[in-house]
Amino acid sequence: MATSAATAAARAAVRLVDVHTHMYTPKYMNILRSRADIPKVRTIDGEDRLIILPGEESETTTKVGRPIGREYWSVDTKIAYMDRHNISHSIVSLANPWLDFLEGSAAESVAQELNDELQDICETSKGRLYGFATLPVRNTQASLKEIQRIKKLPSIKGVILGTPGAGKGLDHENMREVLHSIAEQNLTIFLHPHYGLGNEQYHNTGHALFLALGFPFETTAAVSRLIVTGVLDEIPDLKILIAHAGAALPSLIGRLDSCVAHDLAIANKLHKAPSEYMKKFYFDAISYDPTILQSLINLVGPDRIMFGTDNPFFPPLHAGDINTATWPSTVKVQQSIGSLANVAHRDQISFGNAAKLFQL
């Protein structure tokens, strides 16, 4: 009884948990600064610019990348941002493109180094920060070893994976051992896009359409494939947190149900309708719209959704020093949750679901 009371008291102190927040850790920044090819950081007119997206450098409206400062790599800046927005805990992940550009033994050693660095960062935060580890996904055996190793790191709560997996999709056979191992170790996958889908449509639109459409379409296709290929039936204990409020899939899931039902070759090999698998996933609440958030609650339930910010992306504009400013993108997510009529749902999404899933 005393233990239960202590656990309840600890969870009561967890008031706002950010499950979607990134860093380019100092060692990762060193890698990006040393590279001549994308992904890389280069200095233009005395300012660091992040150039990481496919085709970004060859497109007129995006070739100089995006400005990058201390908000991307400084632990103190991350904690100060959390304090300004009343965020008690954050589960930090390396931002895309992770280690997708490294193969073989180089990927293995860099993954270990970065995950140890993330563990150290979490330890210095005095309980404020936890982490999603990075895997050397282009090296299956190294990934399997790293999954076993990070399970022993006390601040690591899961792994971040890009939608391509090892290059051919998360549902491809070359990812199956890795997914099984993640499930066996009871780790959560934070699934995040990077490469975009439909990129040929976004010419001369800056980063806007690539991020607004390309990212969520990429995620939607990847998660749909996990469903219809039977991966979730094969690995029923797989825990996946989907970025950006599930992308476009919540809006399309009824159509996917109908299309699968009328394709007997697919329907007959699945254990249930696609919409039922949706209730197995977890989602961040980054929709920026209370109506969309309520719709997601109606679809999957309030116990599958968690607060997120996508910090340090989408910074405040024209705010002078963004490291002392309020971030409107963060406030929008908080307001969407705060607008929910059901107080219990607000508490679940703000902190309760994350505290339970990640044992905070």
Side-chain angles (χ1 to χ4, degrees):
M1 183 67 71
T3 301
S4 298
T7 301
R11 287 183 175 170
V14 179
R15 301 308 300 174
L16 191 59
V17 181
D18 186 354
V19 300
H20 184 165
T21 183
H22 301 295
M23 288 183 70
Y24 287 124
T25 60
K27 289 182 179 179
Y28 192 77
M29 283 295 298
N30 290 340
I31 294 172
L32 294 182
R33 287 193 171 108
S34 70
R35 289 177 54 82
D37 299 322
I38 294 176
K40 63 183 178 180
V41 168
R42 71 173 188 169
T43 302
I44 301 175
D45 296 330
E47 181 181 53
D48 281 342
R49 310 287 297 195
L50 183 68
I51 304 174
I52 59 169
L53 300 174
E56 187 171 18
E57 204 167 27
S58 60
E59 168 65 47
T60 302
T61 58
T62 62
K63 66 180 181 180
V64 297
R66 288 171 285 176
I68 181 173
R70 287 180 54 81
E71 69 277 11
Y72 281 82
W73 65 78
S74 166
V75 178
D76 291 342
T77 302
K78 176 70 75 177
I79 296 293
Y81 158 83
M82 291 168 60
D83 289 342
R84 281 196 308 281
H85 298 88
N86 300 311
I87 298 169
S88 60
H89 299 74
S90 291
I91 305 179
V92 176
S93 53
L94 190 68
N96 45 302
W98 318 288
L99 297 180
D100 286 10
F101 53 93
L102 292 180
E103 299 184 7
S105 59
E108 180 176 11
S109 60
V110 171
Q112 292 178 5
E113 190 174 359
L114 293 177
N115 290 331
D116 287 343
E117 180 184 36
L118 181 57
Q119 172 62 33
D120 291 342
I121 286 171
C122 294
E123 287 180 359
T124 64
S125 74
K126 299 180 180 179
R128 299 287 300 279
L129 301 180
Y130 296 89
F132 287 116
T134 304
L135 296 180
V137 288
R138 304 301 170 113
N139 184 332
T140 298
Q141 293 307 309
S143 290
L144 295 174
K145 287 171 56 179
E146 188 64 2
I147 290 165
Q148 298 292 323
R149 196 183 74 87
I150 61 173
K151 179 64 176 179
K152 301 173 185 175
L153 299 180
S155 298
I156 300 301
K157 298 298 183 180
V159 299
I160 184 166
L161 289 180
T163 62
K168 297 182 179 180
L170 285 177
D171 60 286
H172 193 270
E173 285 294 331
N174 66 7
M175 281 297 293
R176 209 55 57 88
E177 281 187 274
V178 171
L179 296 182
H180 273 287
S181 181
I182 291 170
E184 288 165 4
Q185 294 301 320
N186 196 31
L187 294 168
T188 297
I189 294 170
F190 177 29
L191 181 62
H192 197 286
H194 172 70
Y195 297 91
L197 194 63
N199 297 350
E200 69 279 3
Q201 303 294 327
Y202 312 140
H203 179 66
N204 283 337
T205 63
H207 293 98
L209 293 188
F210 185 94
L211 297 175
L213 303 181
F215 265 29
F217 291 167
E218 175 190 346
T219 301
T220 299
V223 176
S224 297
R225 288 194 60 86
L226 284 175
I227 293 172
V228 302
T229 58
V231 171
L232 301 180
D233 290 327
E234 179 184 334
I235 317 175
D237 295 330
L238 201 60
K239 295 186 293 186
I240 301 177
L241 166 62
I242 306 175
H244 310 128
L249 191 54
S251 296
L252 295 172
I253 194 63
R255 182 173 179 82
L256 184 59
D257 271 355
S258 179
C259 292
V260 166
H262 287 84
D263 190 328
L264 295 182
I266 300 296
N268 289 341
K269 73 178 183 181
L270 297 180
H271 294 180
K272 48 196 171 187
S275 56
E276 291 301 309
Y277 293 98
M278 284 287 285
K279 298 171 185 175
K280 290 175 56 67
F281 295 117
Y282 295 92
F283 305 82
D284 70 29
I286 306 177
S287 68
Y288 304 115
D289 186 285
T291 302
I292 301 299
L293 179 59
Q294 184 61 61
S295 178
L296 184 60
I297 293 170
N298 296 343
L299 179 66
V300 302
D303 59 327
R304 313 303 287 187
I305 307 169
M306 293 170 275
F307 173 73
T309 63
D310 216 350
N311 176 264
F313 298 98
F314 305 101
L317 303 173
H318 316 299
D321 183 1
I322 64 173
N323 295 314
T324 60
T326 297
W327 289 49
S329 57
T330 299
V331 173
K332 267 193 173 182
V333 179
Q334 292 173 321
Q335 289 175 337
S336 293
I337 296 170
S339 71
L340 297 174
N342 190 307
V343 175
H345 292 178
R346 296 203 300 259
D347 288 348
Q348 283 179 285
I349 295 169
S350 295
F351 61 90
N353 295 333
K356 181 178 179 181
L357 177 62
F358 297 111
Q359 299 181 337
L360 302 181

